[in-house]
């Protein structure tokens, strides 16, 4: 009995430590992914956009509250899970939190996750995660221990083996992390890659381009006067329209191309490779044509248009992914100034 109790105590501590590490890991994966999408909202003081981005934390029902703070610790925006009662950390927990960026309280895990842009911190996410699931697992563990003690004298060796196997098994953790990674790198509305995923893939393609003699084109696509759709109807109608447009853009491009949603009504397409400027222009024209096709949303019919900015990238390109997107963005604004519904090129095809 003494040996059994000793083993149970040790395995319980190991089990608890593993589950705590998994909880921290899952939360960090989601927080880092969301954080990479908040830089523009922070820089442009767009609290509404920040609140929309923070809604991605709905993916984890255990997250009780997330506060987005600026560097001077002023609250910028927040997400609340109304189904979970938030408990403020004690002074002692606040002190430990400041020292090691996370602390387990009696009812919640408190975490600080920095938001960086180009190596510099521009904000901070303060996250509170409910421990109700962890406590339920501990309670289940306690009940199972009592049952095992009753049958210890008959099946002690078998039960101890099963307990080690069950307690130390990494059940479904990898699958959950993969799901959270997908949510962190894809837009929840359109299921297209988000800004973070686009930045990663474009960086990889820019590196590969240096070893080839091919070129690619980056298209910045912005729907014209899309705000009027939300103003004249509602955000639900606007969301439905964005999902249809996203699907049209996806099916218009090749499998080797990338289409991502940055935010709102802004999309970026990466055409890789392109053999000539005419190839990029024809693809841009097809995209505009698809966007202009009438949208039938129930009894409602909408007619949309867009402006497209194009930036050509060659093997001798010295810009990083963010700078390339910025050049295409500037070309898109030139298209807006030219009367909207236009295609504007920032540079020439080499």
């Amino acid at each position: 009995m003494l040996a059994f109790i000793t083993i149970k105590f040790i395995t319980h501590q190991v089990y608890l430590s593993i589950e705590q590490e998994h909880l921290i890991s899952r939360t960090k994966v989601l927080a880092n992914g969301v954080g990479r999408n908040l830089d523009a909202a922070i820089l442009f003081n767009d609290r509404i956009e920040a609140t929309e981005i923070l809604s991605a934390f709905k993916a984890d029902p255990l997250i009780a509250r997330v506060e987005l703070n600026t560097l001077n610790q002023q609250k910028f925006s927040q997400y609340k899970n109304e189904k979970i009662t938030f408990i403020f950390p004690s002074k002692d927990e606040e002190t430990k939190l400041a020292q090691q960026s996370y602390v387990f309280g009696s009812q919640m895990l408190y975490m600080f996750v920095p938001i960086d842009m180009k190596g510099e911190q521009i904000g901070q996410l303060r996250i509170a995660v409910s421990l109700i699931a962890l406590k339920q697992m501990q309670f289940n563990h306690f009940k199972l221990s009592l049952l095992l003690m009753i049958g210890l004298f008959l099946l002690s060796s078998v039960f101890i083996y099963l307990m080690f196997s069950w307690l130390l098994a990494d059940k479904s953790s990898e699958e959950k992390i993969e799901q959270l990674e997908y949510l962190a790198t894809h837009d929840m509305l359109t299921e297209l890659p988000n800004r973070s995923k686009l930045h990663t893939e474009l960086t990889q393609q820019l590196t590969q381009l240096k070893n080839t003699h091919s070129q690619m084109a980056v298209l910045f696509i912005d729907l014209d006067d899309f705000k009027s759709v939300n103003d004249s109807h509602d955000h639900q109608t606007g969301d439905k329209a964005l999902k249809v447009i996203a699907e049209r853009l996806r099916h218009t491009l090749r499998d080797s191309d990338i289409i991502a949603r940055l935010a709102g009504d802004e999309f970026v397409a990466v055409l890789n490779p392109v053999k000539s400027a005419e190839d990029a222009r024809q693809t841009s024209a097809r995209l505009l044509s698809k966007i202009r096709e009438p949208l039938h949303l129930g009894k409602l019919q909408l007619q949309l248009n867009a402006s497209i900015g194009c930036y050509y990238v060659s093997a001798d390109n010295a810009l990083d992914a963010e700078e390339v997107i910025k050049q295409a963005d500037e070309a898109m604004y030139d298209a807006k100034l030219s009367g909207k519904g236009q295609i504007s090129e920032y540079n020439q095809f080499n």
Side-chain angles (χ1 to χ4, degrees):
M1 289 296 294
L2 181 60
F4 175 79
I5 293 173
T6 302
I7 293 173
K8 285 298 298 174
F9 176 78
I10 294 174
T11 55
H12 173 75
Q13 295 303 315
V14 172
Y15 173 72
L16 180 60
S17 176
I18 290 174
E19 290 300 322
Q20 288 177 335
E21 289 178 4
H22 286 167
L23 182 60
I24 293 172
S25 175
R26 292 197 301 269
T27 306
K28 279 187 177 180
V29 168
L30 182 57
N32 286 332
V34 174
R36 284 192 289 268
N37 296 320
L38 287 168
D39 51 1
I42 295 175
L43 291 178
F44 294 104
N45 198 32
D46 192 340
R47 297 173 184 269
I48 296 177
E49 179 68 16
T51 301
E52 179 182 345
I53 294 173
L54 288 179
S55 67
F57 282 102
K58 292 179 181 178
D60 191 337
L62 294 177
I63 293 181
R65 179 175 295 187
V66 180
E67 289 185 0
L68 170 59
N69 298 328
T70 58
L71 288 180
N72 59 4
Q73 297 303 313
Q74 294 296 314
K75 185 167 72 174
F76 187 82
S77 182
Q78 72 174 3
Y79 160 76
K80 289 183 179 180
N81 185 345
E82 301 296 342
K83 297 181 179 180
I84 299 178
T85 301
F86 173 70
I87 300 175
F88 287 92
S90 65
K91 291 184 179 180
D92 184 53
E93 290 168 345
E94 285 281 9
T95 301
K96 292 180 180 178
L97 181 60
Q99 294 173 346
Q100 60 185 25
S101 77
Y102 73 89
V103 64
F104 280 91
S106 60
Q107 300 295 326
M108 291 194 165
L109 163 64
Y110 305 99
M111 295 179 61
F112 282 151
V113 177
I115 300 175
D116 297 329
M117 188 177 76
K118 294 185 177 180
E120 295 185 7
Q121 185 174 344
I122 61 173
Q124 184 183 71
L125 291 174
R126 183 186 177 100
I127 306 172
V129 186
S130 173
L131 299 180
I132 185 171
L134 189 61
K135 289 184 177 296
Q136 183 62 46
M137 284 188 288
Q138 289 179 279
F139 178 69
N140 291 340
H141 173 264
F142 175 75
K143 290 195 300 183
L144 183 58
S145 297
L146 290 178
L147 293 175
L148 287 172
M149 289 179 66
I150 295 173
L152 176 63
F153 293 103
L154 297 176
L155 300 169
S156 59
S157 59
V158 175
F159 272 91
I160 290 174
Y161 171 77
L162 291 177
M163 282 303 299
F164 269 104
S165 300
W166 183 78
L167 290 175
L168 301 181
D170 188 11
K171 293 186 177 180
S172 301
S173 296
E174 292 183 3
E175 181 180 347
K176 290 181 181 178
I177 291 177
E178 288 178 0
Q179 292 174 349
L180 292 175
E181 286 178 343
Y182 179 86
L183 292 172
T185 56
H186 286 76
D187 175 54
M188 294 184 66
L189 176 65
T190 64
E191 297 186 3
L192 293 178
N194 59 17
R195 178 187 292 271
S196 173
K197 182 70 170 178
L198 170 66
H199 189 279
T200 300
E201 294 197 6
L202 183 55
T203 298
Q204 292 175 349
Q205 294 200 10
L206 289 173
T207 301
Q208 296 170 358
L209 194 67
K210 296 182 185 299
N211 301 322
T212 68
H213 298 289
S214 61
Q215 295 193 52
M216 63 183 182
V218 177
L219 308 179
F220 198 106
I221 307 166
D222 185 88
L223 301 181
D224 294 331
D225 303 317
F226 187 75
K227 184 176 182 296
S228 62
V229 175
N230 291 327
D231 294 340
S232 302
H233 305 285
D234 51 44
H235 285 280
Q236 186 176 8
T237 299
D239 287 347
K240 290 180 180 178
L242 287 173
K243 291 178 68 174
V244 174
I245 293 298
E247 195 64 19
R248 290 181 180 179
L249 297 179
R250 192 204 315 266
H251 288 294
T252 303
L253 299 177
R254 302 169 298 184
D255 291 339
S256 61
D257 300 329
I258 300 172
I259 181 66
R261 182 190 180 204
L262 290 189
D265 60 347
E266 296 176 342
F267 300 85
V268 168
V270 180
L271 312 182
N272 187 17
V274 287
K275 296 181 179 180
S276 65
E278 186 60 28
D279 283 348
R281 291 167 188 158
Q282 289 180 1
T283 300
S284 298
R286 287 197 301 271
L287 292 172
L288 280 182
S289 178
K290 284 295 182 180
I291 292 172
R292 289 168 178 162
E293 290 180 2
L295 277 77
H296 300 282
L297 305 176
K299 297 181 180 179
L300 180 65
Q301 178 173 308
L302 298 177
Q303 189 83 40
L304 300 179
N305 205 349
S307 299
I308 298 180
C310 174
Y311 181 75
Y312 295 111
V313 186
S314 58
D316 59 357
N317 170 74
L319 302 181
D320 62 22
E322 198 63 36
E323 291 169 332
V324 166
I325 295 173
K326 182 179 180 182
Q327 307 291 46
D329 187 15
E330 291 184 12
M332 182 275 295
Y333 275 106
D334 288 340
K336 293 277 190 186
L337 294 175
S338 299
K340 301 180 180 179
Q342 306 293 321
I343 303 169
S344 177
E345 297 176 345
Y346 185 93
N347 57 346
Q348 294 183 345
F349 185 91
N350 293 330

